[in-house]
Structures are given as C-alpha cells and as structure tokens.
Amino acid sequence: MRRMRVLFAGIGLAAVMATGCGGSAKEANAAEEGTAAQEKAMEMEAPAGGASETEAPETEEDDEESYNTGDASLDKVRNQDGIGEKELLVVSFGTSYNDSRRLTIGAVEAALETAFPEFSVRRGFTSQIIIDHIKKRDQVTIDNVGEALDRAVANGVKTLVIQPTHLMNGLEYRDLVNEAAKHSEAFERIAMGKPLLTTEEDFAAVAKAITAATAEYDDGETAICFMGHGTEADSNAVYEKLQTVLKESGFAHYYVGTVEAEPTLEDILAMVEAGGYKRVVLQPLMVVAGDHANQDMAGAGEGSWKSVFESAGYEVECVLCGLGELEDIQALFVEHARQAVESLKQ
C-alpha cells in the first residue's frame, strides 16, 4: 500500500483536466512532419490525450501506403535491456510517421535522457495498431505499455518513473495510470508524471511556446489556427482554456479547434471570417505531426482544413510541425518528469 500511495502522489489526477519548428516555420512547411476505440482508417495518430484525444490508425489498405514517412532506421526505439535499477519510461500514443516520430517523441525522450542521466530512458506506445503497423512495414519493434512494464520488471528495475507525452488528463492517461497501478507492487518506488496541459502554468507555457514558434505569421492579417484532436471526455475543455489563455495574453489572431470535438472546424472558420483576415496558417496542436496533420489538416481532400479554408477564399499555409519538436515543449515534459522524481523523495 505504501508503494501505491507513492504512485498516486505523483499522478495529479485532480488536474484540469516544422521539421525545423525551432527555426523558421515557413522553412519547416517547405521541408515537410488517444483511444484505440476511435482509431479510424489509415493510422490517424493523435495528440496524446484520451480516448478520442489521440490519433487514429489503419486499415488493410495500409499495406500499400502512397506516402513516404521517412527512414525508420534513424529513430531510436529505446527498448534496450540491462538498463540498471532506475528507469524513466516515456509513454506516447505513437505514430507510424517515422520522421515525425524521431523529431517529436524521440526529441522528448532525448531531452529527458539529458536531464536525468541517472535514469535509463525507455519507450512505450499505447496504440497497438500503430505498433503492429510499424513492425510489419519497417520490421521495428516498439513495446506497448504492458510489455514495457514487464520488461522493466525483468530488468530488475527498482525505481520507475513514467512520463506520458499526453496532451491532457483524459481517458487514455487514466488508462495508463490504471495499468501502472497493476504493476506497482513489482517496484520499490514508482511515480507518474503529469500530462502536458495540467496546471495554469502549463497552459501559459504552451501558449508562449506555440506563439513564439509562429510569431513570423502574426501580422494582423493572418489567422493562426491550431488543430487539436478533441475528445468526448470532459478533458476536451483544455482546448477552450488554451484559447482563453491565448486571448488574455494578447494573441488575438490565434484560434484553437479540434478534428473530433469542439470547437469544430466550422466554429473556427466562422471566427476567422469575423476577423476579416486575408490569410490562414494551419498547424497541429498535437505532439506528433502524423496522419491527422497530413490528411485532416493539410490534405487535398475536400473536408480537410486546408481545403475548407481555401474554398472560403483564403490563402492557406500548412506548418507540419508537431508540438514535440519545440524545445519549450520538451522542457515542459522534463519539468513534469522532474516533479515526479522529486515526489519519490517525499
């Protein structure tokens, strides 16, 4: 019972719940980029969050992808054994977009490795569909959460810190908490880091990060629209809250919408039309820039955000940059992991 108390002390369940993002967003655009129940056709990864908060997956037609997602061999899967007694397990929904996985999830993991050299950083994905797809297509094996926890036990890990890359404290995050609780007795100490958007300070930090990354577009004539995934859970409120923080911070030309919930694309279009803008910039409010970003946001289909705004008469630019590419976002995940590590000392 003592270990269970330690685990939940670090969880914080009372919370509110472009390649080149660090440089020019225009250059990034030119260069080019959860629950499983809502994973729809063609691997639509989402922003780590909850049930419908994450991106979704694939059909049998995936055997013949008509797009190139990058070189899987460049990504570090972090499923090594012989890691010592301290492990920092980074849990993500996942993406089969190889370049984006390396530049977002991989970058967050690397930042955590630098910040916590005393811990062995390992990876776990929550989407089995994405795990299976990557293994079939690229012959690359990534652990699911259960496998990652079992591997930690087999490796003799005594201190385990789990840091999710989820956007919010939603259904998927709570599933992760429950899965970790099932394994808690196998470790001497265990703690869980918080999702990206948890405290008031987190919202302010994320607002600062995304506005800094897109500052070159904020000219008064351009609407800068961020596309999140959305969820049926109460945690969907994070999108409205982030919108409020942006407005109260003086960023009047920034808009936050979702693919699967509210605010809808129609809501965002109405606000943009009311603002009298000439131009629209679209960017995902998701840790990765996977299928939702490439298809629902920037795709050529008539229902994509890009197509809808173009049909409304706007010049549209898409920035295929996941939040995980931003150093300020990586730093926020590091801070959450640091809080979890500190909770073990109490």
Side-chain angles (χ1 to χ4, degrees):
M1 291 301 295
R2 179 187 65 81
R3 287 192 289 271
M4 290 293 287
R5 287 197 293 272
V6 171
L7 170 68
F8 288 101
I11 287 176
L13 286 180
V16 192
M17 29 195 127
T19 306
C21 288
S24 166
K26 291 181 180 178
E27 292 174 1
N29 185 51
E32 166 81 8
E33 161 187 358
T35 78
Q38 300 224 345
E39 296 176 319
K40 52 180 178 151
M42 290 305 294
E43 198 235 0
M44 321 207 99
E45 308 100 359
S52 51
E53 305 144 29
T54 46
E55 308 220 356
E58 38 213 64
T59 66
E60 294 178 0
E61 297 176 1
D62 273 350
D63 290 341
E64 298 183 14
E65 290 177 342
S66 59
Y67 50 89
N68 181 11
T69 70
D71 187 349
S73 68
L74 298 177
D75 181 39
K76 186 176 180 181
V77 295
R78 293 181 171 86
N79 61 359
Q80 69 278 11
D81 292 315
I83 59 175
E85 296 183 350
K86 291 186 175 182
E87 176 181 325
L88 202 171
L89 176 61
V90 184
V91 175
S92 306
F93 181 83
T95 178
S96 70
Y97 277 67
N98 294 325
D99 283 345
S100 183
R101 185 169 68 252
R102 172 173 54 85
L103 294 169
T104 56
I105 294 171
V108 171
E109 293 166 344
L112 289 164
E113 281 181 329
T114 299
F116 303 98
E118 70 276 23
F119 282 83
S120 294
V121 174
R122 294 205 55 258
R123 170 184 292 179
F125 282 1
T126 60
S127 172
Q128 191 63 46
I129 292 178
I130 288 177
I131 291 171
D132 293 344
H133 181 60
I134 294 171
K135 187 169 186 176
K136 180 178 180 181
R137 185 192 63 193
D138 302 317
Q139 293 75 55
V140 172
T141 299
I142 297 173
D143 287 346
N144 62 32
V145 175
E147 291 167 342
L149 291 171
D150 288 342
R151 190 188 293 267
V153 174
N155 275 310
V157 171
K158 294 182 179 179
T159 300
L160 177 67
V161 174
I162 303 173
Q163 178 56 53
T165 64
H166 296 78
L167 194 74
M168 63 187 74
N169 183 340
L171 302 178
E172 187 178 332
Y173 177 72
R174 296 173 193 182
D175 286 345
L176 174 60
V177 170
N178 292 334
E179 184 73 18
K182 294 176 184 177
H183 288 75
S184 64
E185 293 299 319
F187 307 100
E188 291 184 4
R189 298 188 301 169
I190 182 171
M192 180 84 72
K194 297 174 183 177
L196 185 66
L197 290 171
T198 300
T199 66
E200 297 291 332
E201 292 76 16
D202 293 340
F203 280 90
V206 170
K208 181 179 179 181
I210 64 176
T211 53
T214 54
E216 64 185 283
Y217 297 115
D218 194 9
D219 58 7
E221 297 184 343
T222 303
I224 304 162
C225 304
F226 279 84
M227 184 192 78
H229 189 275
T231 173
E232 61 187 11
D234 292 342
S235 53
N236 194 72
V238 299
Y239 298 106
E240 182 178 355
K241 181 172 179 60
L242 182 59
Q243 179 74 79
T244 299
V245 170
L246 287 165
K247 297 299 182 186
E248 292 180 348
S249 300
F251 296 101
H253 308 303
Y254 282 77
Y255 301 92
V256 178
T258 70
V259 180
E260 301 289 349
E262 295 180 348
T264 65
L265 170 56
E266 291 72 21
D267 295 332
I268 301 303
L269 177 60
M271 288 188 280
V272 170
E273 289 177 333
Y277 299 102
K278 297 179 180 179
R279 189 162 166 264
V280 172
V281 169
L282 302 176
Q283 185 163 331
L285 188 71
M286 303 176 181
V287 171
V288 304
D291 206 66
H292 275 312
N294 282 273
Q295 303 301 327
D296 292 323
M297 189 189 82
E302 65 178 18
S304 74
W305 284 39
K306 179 176 183 288
S307 295
V308 169
F309 276 109
E310 286 180 337
S311 296
Y314 295 98
E315 175 191 345
V316 180
E317 180 169 351
C318 297
V319 182
L320 289 166
C321 171
L323 293 177
E325 291 193 50
L326 304 179
E327 291 184 0
D328 288 344
I329 298 297
Q330 297 163 20
L332 192 51
F333 280 124
V334 168
E335 177 56 29
H336 285 187
R338 191 181 309 281
Q339 291 170 6
V341 171
E342 289 298 316
S343 75
L344 295 174
K345 301 176 182 179
Q346 298 175 5

